[in-house]
Amino acid sequence: MVRISNNLVGILNLVTFLLSIPILGGGIWLSTRGTSDCEKFLDKPVIALGVFLMVVSLAGLIGACCRVTWLLWLYLGVMFVLIVLLFCFTVFAFVVTNKGAGKVVSNAGFREYRLGDYSNWLQKRVNNDKNWRKIRSCLKDSKICDNLAKETNLQDFNQFLKTSLSPLQSGCCKPPTECEFTYQSPTSWTTPALINSTNPDCKTWSNPDLCYDCQSCKAGVLANLKKNWKKVAVVNIIFLIFLLVVYSLGCHAFRHNKDNGRWKGGYP
């Protein structure tokens, strides 16, 4: 049973080590070949993740296969911290994304989003000018509005109303419905001579720049983030179960090494 535990820990960490190589390589590629702020924004977190996985997996691999108990102790300590952090993040993700939902637009197939409907923590993140410049750069690089403008079947306003727009398309590519702009194309609207709405997005909208600086665009980003974080939280729960299994196997191997006095690397 002990040998099986050590072997399983070794195999799992070997797989993790192999996975860390393309992750680290991808981060280095983004750092040296990234052409936009959006791509370069991801390089440091990806590199850090790759290095972290590589170092931890090596500690677990050597500690389990070579019976180096102090490495197993270090490995288990890091794993414990990782499990706690992942659990806290999962709970946090559910809490901060609990609020916020799109508003149904009468006779339309899409929803519209308001920034005030989301948690204060998320609002502060997108209202930060530095953060928003990077997010806006990513949105423009993704060409979500350019692709919407190319839809030839949306030249009629009634057809546009029936379209199921994504939160990002609804918030960033068109003005809010209450502004009562005149439709020309999915990304081109005529501003009325008198704007009756108090919504600040009505004055922020412009045909060249669209609504990338609108509150509705920030709300669309949060709506999209909420959807993705819910998925990530579910994946995290599965990953937590996996980590707990590996941690249990590592603890079993550690106890065996300690009980048999196999302390290597300078330990008695």
Side-chain angles (χ1 to χ4, degrees):
M1 178 63 186
V2 173
R3 181 172 296 178
I4 293 175
S5 297
N6 281 295
N7 289 341
L8 282 175
V9 172
I11 291 171
L12 291 172
N13 281 283
L14 176 61
V15 173
T16 304
F17 176 78
L18 294 176
L19 288 174
S20 70
I21 296 175
I23 294 175
L24 180 60
I28 295 173
W29 183 89
L30 286 174
S31 179
T32 57
R33 300 292 181 88
T35 57
S36 67
D37 291 338
C38 182
E39 291 177 340
K40 292 180 179 179
F41 176 68
L42 296 172
D43 62 348
K44 290 182 177 61
V46 172
I47 291 174
L49 177 62
V51 172
F52 175 78
L53 290 176
M54 185 174 289
V55 172
V56 173
S57 59
L58 277 175
L61 182 63
I62 297 172
C65 295
C66 299
R67 305 288 178 86
V68 183
T69 310
W70 72 269
L71 272 180
L72 269 181
W73 180 88
L74 177 64
Y75 169 75
L76 291 174
V78 174
M79 285 284 288
F80 178 78
V81 173
L82 180 61
I83 289 172
V84 172
L85 290 176
L86 195 59
F87 175 79
C88 292
F89 173 76
T90 302
V91 174
F92 174 76
F94 276 113
V95 171
V96 299
T97 59
N98 188 48
K99 294 175 60 179
K103 178 184 177 183
V104 176
V105 179
S106 179
N107 299 320
F110 53 82
R111 293 172 178 262
E112 292 188 335
Y113 302 85
R114 297 179 182 273
L115 186 59
D117 293 339
Y118 294 88
S119 68
N120 292 330
W121 187 88
L122 288 177
Q123 290 185 50
K124 289 179 181 179
R125 302 287 84 74
V126 294
N127 279 327
N128 180 282
D129 290 337
K130 183 179 179 180
N131 291 341
W132 185 248
R133 282 196 299 269
K134 293 178 180 179
I135 295 171
R136 182 176 55 188
S137 175
C138 292
L139 292 174
K140 290 185 176 180
D141 289 342
S142 68
K143 300 186 183 301
I144 55 170
C145 294
D146 292 342
N147 294 333
L148 182 63
K150 294 177 182 177
E151 294 288 341
T152 57
N153 63 326
L154 298 180
Q155 300 309 311
D156 179 73
F157 181 60
N158 291 327
Q159 291 176 324
F160 178 78
L161 281 178
K162 297 176 182 177
T163 305
S164 178
L165 301 178
S166 70
L168 294 176
Q169 289 174 329
S170 176
C172 306
C173 305
K174 67 170 190 62
T177 304
E178 64 183 279
C179 297
E180 298 182 344
F181 284 18
T182 303
Y183 180 85
Q184 293 179 325
S185 75
T187 57
S188 180
W189 300 71
T190 302
T191 307
L194 179 63
I195 299 177
N196 296 318
S197 174
T198 58
N199 190 331
D201 289 349
C202 299
K203 294 183 179 180
T204 304
W205 165 271
S206 67
N207 280 316
D209 298 323
L210 306 183
C211 220
Y212 283 116
D213 286 319
C214 293
Q215 298 292 299
S216 62
C217 187
K218 295 176 181 179
V221 169
L222 295 185
N224 193 64
L225 181 68
K226 175 181 178 179
K227 179 181 178 181
N228 290 334
W229 272 29
K230 292 292 186 182
K231 294 178 181 179
V232 170
V234 173
V235 173
N236 282 348
I237 293 174
I238 298 173
F239 189 49
L240 268 173
I241 296 173
F242 170 77
L243 286 180
L244 287 171
V245 172
V246 176
Y247 184 76
S248 299
L249 291 172
C251 287
H252 191 276
F254 174 79
R255 283 196 300 269
H256 171 73
N257 288 356
K258 183 179 178 181
D259 291 342
N260 285 275
R262 294 179 177 180
W263 293 78
K264 298 185 178 181
Y267 283 77

